[in-house]
Amino acid sequence: MNLLGKIKSLGFKLLHRNVDVIKCMENKNKLWNVFSSPATIKNGAKLVVDNTHVAALVSGGRLADMYSCGQHELVASNMPIFATLKGWKYNHASAFEAEVYFINTATFNNQNWSTLYPFPLEDQKLKSVAIETSGRYSFCVKPNPSAFIENLIKDQEVDSQERWFNNFIIKRFRNYLETSGVDLLSIVKEPQKFSNDLKINLKNDLLDFDIILDDFQIDNFTVYKN
């Protein structure tokens, strides 16, 4: 076999080697990491989850079994939902394919949010205006974040925690301004009071995604008259 043939053969073997240990190897300070290997996972492989994470098996875009801190053996009896989705028999012993989502359950403090650009708003007193605002928030994900993971699976365009939260907060912020009839100038004068009111709404909405909002602050709120 020539050199090129040997390289191709080696590459084929590496790509088809079964993975026998799965753990979060990327930035552990991220809110989520996804393990998706081109190789199959060995039956009986070890799933290692550290004390700030939970892990979840995903098959074909469907959430299966979840695992807390510890070392877990990936066999049919220890992954019943995944086995059911795959239609495995009780004595299944073959390698398999899956994605593993690692979710960080630690508290994330002093995260920044802001409008990317001023957004238009119609106000009863000021008429047509534009709003620019920014602030901080703190949060953590529930220990059993199935709703959060299912949202990640569905929304493949979300590539970072910062973008997800920024989009979420600004959308709710804008909707609250449009529907509450709040006096914009009062927000400029007392941003803390409005922060508290908006926090209640955000907190309830985020619970639907298994996210606990610990703190929310408006540091800047600017109204531009068009």
Side-chain angles (χ1 to χ4, degrees):
M1 182 184 294
N2 60 28
L3 179 60
L4 180 59
K6 289 181 179 179
I7 293 174
K8 287 182 177 179
S9 176
L10 177 60
F12 181 87
K13 290 177 182 177
L14 288 174
L15 285 174
H16 288 75
R17 184 180 60 189
N18 292 339
V19 175
D20 54 10
V21 177
I22 302 172
K23 57 184 177 180
C24 186
M25 300 294 290
E26 297 184 44
N27 182 357
K28 293 185 178 181
N29 293 321
K30 288 175 60 178
L31 179 54
W32 71 82
N33 287 289
V34 181
F35 170 89
S36 182
S37 173
T40 52
I41 299 172
K42 179 181 178 181
N43 183 66
K46 298 296 185 291
L47 173 62
V48 181
V49 186
D50 66 31
N51 59 4
T52 61
H53 286 77
V54 295
L57 291 177
V58 174
S59 172
R62 299 176 68 181
L63 176 62
D65 305 275
M66 300 183 65
Y67 303 88
S68 57
C69 173
Q71 183 170 289
H72 308 272
E73 186 179 19
L74 297 181
V75 293
S77 60
N78 199 28
M79 41 200 294
I81 300 175
F82 188 90
T84 299
L85 291 175
K86 290 291 190 180
W88 287 353
K89 303 297 183 182
Y90 72 93
N91 59 347
H92 178 88
S94 301
F96 58 93
E97 295 181 354
E99 288 184 316
V100 182
Y101 281 64
F102 290 92
I103 308 299
N104 193 335
T105 58
T107 298
F108 288 72
N109 292 311
N110 292 319
Q111 306 295 298
N112 296 319
W113 64 269
S114 67
T115 46
L116 299 179
Y117 49 83
F119 61 81
L121 188 73
E122 292 297 320
D123 180 71
Q124 290 184 348
K125 293 181 179 179
L126 302 176
K127 304 304 180 184
S128 182
V129 298
I131 304 296
E132 186 174 44
T133 182
S134 62
R136 292 163 290 125
Y137 64 96
S138 299
F139 75 96
C140 65
V141 175
K142 287 183 177 181
N144 186 29
S146 57
F148 179 72
I149 298 172
E150 287 175 343
N151 182 70
L152 288 180
I153 296 170
K154 292 176 183 176
D155 193 353
Q156 294 295 321
E157 294 184 1
V158 176
D159 57 2
S160 71
Q161 166 239 314
E162 292 82 4
R163 181 175 296 184
W164 192 93
F165 271 93
N166 210 65
N167 291 344
F168 189 95
I169 290 172
I170 295 303
K171 183 177 180 180
R172 265 60 176 186
F173 193 111
R174 185 171 182 174
N175 182 67
Y176 189 78
L177 290 178
E178 292 173 342
T179 59
S180 66
V182 63
D183 183 356
L184 297 181
L185 295 181
S186 70
I187 303 176
V188 176
K189 295 176 182 177
E190 297 182 274
Q192 185 57 52
K193 182 180 183 304
F194 183 70
S195 293
N196 294 335
D197 293 341
L198 184 57
K199 178 183 176 181
I200 295 172
N201 286 269
L202 287 172
K203 193 164 189 173
N204 291 333
D205 289 343
L206 286 168
L207 283 175
D208 291 337
F209 295 90
D210 294 330
I211 297 170
I212 300 171
L213 184 66
D214 292 325
D215 189 33
F216 178 80
Q217 300 290 334
I218 298 174
D219 295 328
N220 171 65
F221 185 85
T222 304
V223 179
Y224 299 102
K225 189 74 171 70
N226 290 337

